Amino acid sequence: MNEYGLPALPCYLNGAFTTLDQAKISVMDRGFIFGDGVYEVVPVYAGKPFRFAQHMARLARSLTELRIPNPMTEQEWRGVVDHLVTAYAKTLDKPATDTDQLVYIQVTRGVAMRDHAMVPGLQPTVFATSNKITPPPAADRAAGVKCITADDFRWKKAHIKAVSLLGAVMSRQMSVDAGAAETIMFRDGFLSEGASANVWIVKDGVVLGAPKDNLVLEGIRYGLLEQLCADAGLQFELRRISRDEVFAADEVLLSNASKELLAVTQLDGKPIGNGRPGPIYDKLYAGYQRAKQSS
């Protein structure tokens, strides 16, 4: 470990593979100065990246929004990810196929003297690393989790997976302070998303989610849940969802790369449905596990 206590885990930085304890960037990197960059988090099951093409498509969309050139092709990104997955597995003395991991990718605009304007012609800073994936404990799977609500005070470009995550940090800390699993946010009385997860409700057998617009980050599980619902014969709909509808839902679900799919059984101290994970969650979670095995 270095002076910051970082382990010697494998990482990639600007064209070279190194380790976290050795990697360095300029203090004038715009990701450090302005949060001027984007990121992706790719889950890896049995050594294979899950829905990799969808993650690369979202990375490309976010880069385009910020006018940062994509520094690699999808094939080149895959090469970096595969190398990191193998390297991390070696730190565990395991073959990659015996590991589940989480690969973090970050691209910033690059290094320049401080100026708010988008400096043209910079070489993007590219960083990636892999570590263990930490799924929710079995007790949370069995009983569901409690969450709290808050007004969504973040900016109106939530569809960009930007590294400037101070709003999410503050929202997530609210749930930590309350001993809750997540903060579910509402903008003008309508559901947006969680601090670090998309939010879904189930009512009368219909799975409902917020629209894919600038107020919500389109999680990779948007497309996956639509597919899982189709496979299970469930109706899937995206529309504005009021706060009252969330509290009156039969089920509330969270989704992200590490949680996969998780039932919310208590919200602001009030039970959701019967206070237990529901049958739609059970169906979709089972389908999610099958999708992981077939990826």
Side-chain angles (χ1 to χ4, degrees), residues 189-212:
F190 291 96
L191 175 67
S192 53
E193 58 191 348
S196 60
N198 289 126
V199 182
W200 311 87
I201 75 167
V202 179
K203 188 65 177 179
D204 298 328
V206 180
V207 178
L208 300 163
K212 294 186 285 186

Side-chain angles (χ1 to χ4, degrees), residues 22-278:
Q22 297 297 317
K24 308 289 183 184
I25 65 167
S26 169
V27 294
M28 296 309 295
D29 190 276
R30 286 178 62 97
F32 174 67
I33 296 293
F34 294 119
D36 186 2
V38 302
Y39 73 104
E40 274 296 326
V41 182
V42 183
V44 175
Y45 302 112
K48 186 175 180 181
F50 185 61
R51 297 178 77 81
F52 185 74
Q54 289 87 343
H55 279 282
M56 290 297 100
R58 186 173 64 180
L59 176 64
R61 291 196 301 270
S62 294
L63 288 168
T64 297
E65 285 277 353
L66 293 189
R67 304 185 197 178
I68 298 174
N70 194 331
M72 297 190 207
T73 65
E74 183 175 327
Q75 184 177 4
E76 289 169 335
W77 279 118
R78 182 59 184 261
V80 169
V81 169
D82 286 346
H83 187 284
L84 290 172
V85 168
T86 299
Y88 177 70
K90 286 181 179 178
T91 70
L92 304 176
D93 293 323
K94 294 181 178 180
T97 52
D98 287 351
T99 66
D100 291 345
Q101 303 180 32
L102 211 57
V103 176
Y104 178 84
I105 294 169
Q106 179 170 308
V107 182
T108 76
R109 194 174 307 278
V111 178
M113 293 303 293
R114 190 177 186 277
D115 184 347
H116 283 76
M118 295 180 178
V119 181
L122 298 182
Q123 181 67 36
T125 298
V126 182
F127 169 74
T129 189
S130 193
N131 202 347
K132 64 182 179 180
I133 191 169
T134 306
D140 287 351
R141 289 268 178 237
V145 296
K146 67 177 183 178
C147 296
I148 62 169
T149 66
D151 289 333
D152 192 342
F153 50 80
R154 304 167 306 159
W155 70 329
K156 293 184 179 180
K157 291 283 189 179
H159 64 296
I160 303 173
K161 199 169 177 67
V163 298
S164 47
L165 288 171
L166 187 56
V169 168
M170 294 173 69
S171 298
R172 181 67 184 93
Q173 189 60 43
M174 292 167 63
S175 55
V176 170
D177 292 343
E182 179 63 296
T183 302
I184 294 177
M185 294 181 286
F186 295 85
R187 194 187 295 265
D188 299 325
F190 291 96
L191 175 67
S192 53
E193 58 191 348
S196 60
N198 289 126
V199 182
W200 311 87
I201 75 167
V202 179
K203 188 65 177 179
D204 298 328
V206 180
V207 178
L208 300 163
K212 294 186 285 186
D213 59 17
N214 64 298
L215 302 180
V216 172
L217 177 67
E218 181 187 338
I220 299 302
R221 272 131 291 277
Y222 259 73
L224 177 58
L225 253 66
E226 184 173 12
Q227 177 185 325
L228 296 179
C229 285
D231 293 343
L234 299 170
Q235 186 177 340
F236 177 88
E237 182 180 347
L238 301 181
R239 63 168 174 80
R240 294 273 177 247
I241 301 169
S242 71
R243 183 182 177 90
D244 288 343
E245 286 182 284
V246 174
F247 279 89
D250 300 325
E251 302 180 40
V252 174
L253 311 175
L254 304 175
S255 68
N256 69 12
S258 57
K259 289 181 176 66
E260 297 180 356
L261 196 62
L262 188 61
V264 176
T265 50
Q266 186 183 118
L267 190 57
D268 286 347
K270 301 173 184 177
I272 296 296
N274 64 5
R276 302 288 298 176

